[in-house]
Amino acid sequence: MVLAITLNPSLDISYPIETLKINDVNRCQTVSKTAGGKGLNVARVIHQMDGSVVATGFLGGNIGKYIEDQLTEQEIQHQFQHINGETRNCIAILHDQGQQTEVLEGGPTLSVEDLEKLKALLEDLVGAHDVVTISGSLSKGLPEDSYVQLIEQLNAKNKKVILDSSGGSLKAVLNSNVKPYAIKPNLTEIEELTGVAVSLEDLTGLKSLLLGEQFMAIPLIVISLGADGAFVKSGKQFYRVTIPKINVVNPVGSGDSTVAGLALALEKQASLEEILKTAMALGLLNTMEQKTGFVNPLNFDKYFELVKVEEI
Ligand code: ADP
């Protein structure tokens, strides 16, 4: 079973409007409201692939309740730590033939006490789970080393943790002695973290960076490259994963689907090749759907076979 943690979930609201009028009233006939946030996308994709998953993290207020109800309706198991604040809304206005204007709330401000309560919940919850995903940004008010603390707790129970975050919270993990089993940055995130310009053209430079102190002790590093697939470090070996060309409908959430694939395959104790093919196939299946963090499982086998893994 996979446990999918999201510390700062959201209710993702999409407003399709033909023409966005600034400083005027915009009326919208159809609204979609989806349980969102990266870890909830991970949980949804695992569930769609018939995997067992429990979604957890922080939820609060009426919006938190709405998200819990929606997860229950979709038969996705969940057990969240309730907070005093209100879970955030994230609004995407889809307008003017393919344009997207977003309004993202920062979310509630949490405290160290909230983090301690979540850790106590995890202590109870995590027993049944072999793989744990931690996705997204930290809520305001939480210490920058919150993920270090969670990973330390989970590592002590021999769980395989996949961390998908960026910025300060990821940096805190990379600079600590506490390492997750896997991370899934993209090239831009690697550059931001290290301050070093990286590219696939300079493989030697990229490899030596990943063999450096910050990254070496992380068993699996999947650098996702959008339409170009991924570059991977497993132990001390490196791999190039390539994917077929497809018609992209909406790439948002592909990284989360990739994480879902890593978790599903790790949980099955699959081979490295199968882990990477599952992750890439789910990432690309997400891009073929309108909805974020959503895949069509019927297409899985076909695209799984088309993903190629080569040691380099
Ligand atoms: P993130 O959203 O975290 O930056 P990526 O954009 O690298 O992640 O996408 C994650 C994975 O999703 C890729 O490795 C690939 O498998 C798939 N993917 C993303 N964009 C495309 C695309 N344009 N065409 C095909 N597959 C894609």
Side-chain angles (χ1 to χ4, degrees), residues 132-185:
V132 181
T133 65
I134 303 179
S135 306
S137 54
L138 283 180
S139 314
K140 279 180 286 181
L142 293 182
E144 194 115 283
D145 75 343
S146 295
Y147 287 155
V148 177
Q149 296 184 38
L150 295 185
I151 295 167
E152 193 166 30
Q153 180 187 10
L154 296 162
N155 282 356
K157 295 186 175 303
N158 293 320
K159 305 301 168 188
K160 283 191 171 148
V161 180
I162 306 168
L163 175 66
D164 183 15
S165 72
S166 54
S169 61
L170 177 55
K171 213 172 203 164
V173 172
L174 294 179
N175 292 338
S176 81
N177 294 326
V178 176
K179 302 293 182 192
Y181 185 83
I183 57 173
K184 193 226 63 66

Side-chain angles (χ1 to χ4, degrees), residues 184 186 224-227 229-230 243-244 246 248 251 254-255 258 280 283-284 287:
K184 193 226 63 66
N186 55 36
S224 65
L225 306 166
I243 57 177
I246 45 137
V248 174
S254 316
T258 303
M280 289 297 101
L284 80 85
T287 69

Side-chain angles (χ1 to χ4, degrees), residues 45 48-49 244 257-258 260-262 264-265 268 273-286 288-289 295-307:
V45 170
Q48 287 175 330
M49 291 300 295
S257 288
T258 303
L262 291 175
L264 267 172
K268 280 200 283 173
E273 185 176 4
E274 195 177 328
I275 293 170
L276 299 178
K277 286 171 81 164
T278 307
M280 289 297 101
L282 288 180
L284 80 85
L285 286 189
N286 175 78
M288 295 168 78
E289 303 292 325
V295 297
N296 181 350
L298 298 178
N299 291 330
F300 178 79
D301 289 347
K302 172 181 167 192
Y303 288 99
F304 178 91
E305 291 307 327
L306 293 172
V307 177

